[in-house]
Amino acid sequence: MSATGTAPGGARGATLTEPDLRRVYGTYPTGVAAVAGLVGGRPVGLAASSFVPVSLDPPLVSVCMAHTSTTWPLLRDLPHIGISVLGAHQEETGRRLGARGGDRFAGIAWRATATGCVLIEDAAAWYDCAVEQQVRSGDHDIVVLRVHDLDAAAGIQPLVFHASRFHRLP
């Protein structure tokens, strides 16, 4: 049954609304990742809840970027992009990186790698990636990234995004 009580594939499918989609999509919990790089020597980045591993061989991950993003066009042509899986203690970092304006990196501890990735300090995990492929899909691009280096911190629980709010695992 659908959210309105109609069977899947019923007449309701033609009238899906953005609020319905956001509400139902939001029932699926995700992690929160910072996607960032150095642009003109300064950190530029955003928060993404669509980060997922794709392949072990070759090592690939993906993230979805809205066509309306003003940050992604600054990052997509960089030779390397950093992805930091935020830890449960980094809720404020997730909020800052998800903000539409201002200095997103104000008050956030980060480091730059020799390849130009920007990584958030004390994250649960980090990846040094390069864009492999972009696929236009609806109002987003699915961005596939090749992993060149990575690591995870022992004992740091991830930050979880669910129902439009940040959560911690019990």
Side-chain angles (χ1 to χ4, degrees):
M1 299 300 275
S2 77
T4 60
T6 59
R12 169 113 170 91
T15 60
L16 294 175
T17 65
E18 185 174 326
D20 284 340
L21 289 166
R22 287 183 181 277
R23 180 178 52 81
V24 177
Y25 286 177
T27 65
Y28 185 70
T30 64
V32 182
V35 180
L38 285 178
V39 177
R42 298 180 51 99
V44 173
L46 52 84
S49 61
S50 59
F51 170 74
V52 295
V54 173
S55 170
L56 294 173
D57 187 18
L60 301 172
V61 297
S62 74
V63 66
C64 294
M65 295 294 173
H67 293 160
T68 57
S69 173
T70 57
T71 305
W72 178 240
L74 301 173
L75 297 171
R76 69 176 162 221
D77 294 324
L78 294 176
H80 286 255
I81 297 170
I83 297 179
S84 302
V85 176
L86 299 184
H89 63 288
Q90 294 175 310
E91 183 175 330
E92 183 57 30
T93 298
R95 287 189 201 295
R96 284 184 187 265
L97 292 173
R100 297 235 185 251
D103 180 359
R104 290 182 177 159
F105 284 85
I108 295 176
W110 59 275
R111 66 182 170 89
T113 67
T115 61
C117 293
V118 170
L119 302 173
I120 305 301
E121 293 289 352
D122 300 320
W126 61 265
Y127 300 77
D128 175 328
C129 301
V131 174
E132 179 94 359
Q133 178 181 20
Q134 291 186 85
V135 178
R136 190 168 181 88
S137 188
D139 58 6
H140 281 66
D141 285 341
I142 301 167
V143 182
V144 178
L145 302 129
R146 182 175 292 263
V147 178
H148 292 280
D149 198 6
L150 76 167
D151 203 1
I156 295 181
Q157 292 291 317
L159 182 61
V160 176
F161 192 70
H162 176 254
S164 299
R165 293 183 36 218
F166 293 112
H167 300 273
R168 296 171 185 226
L169 295 176

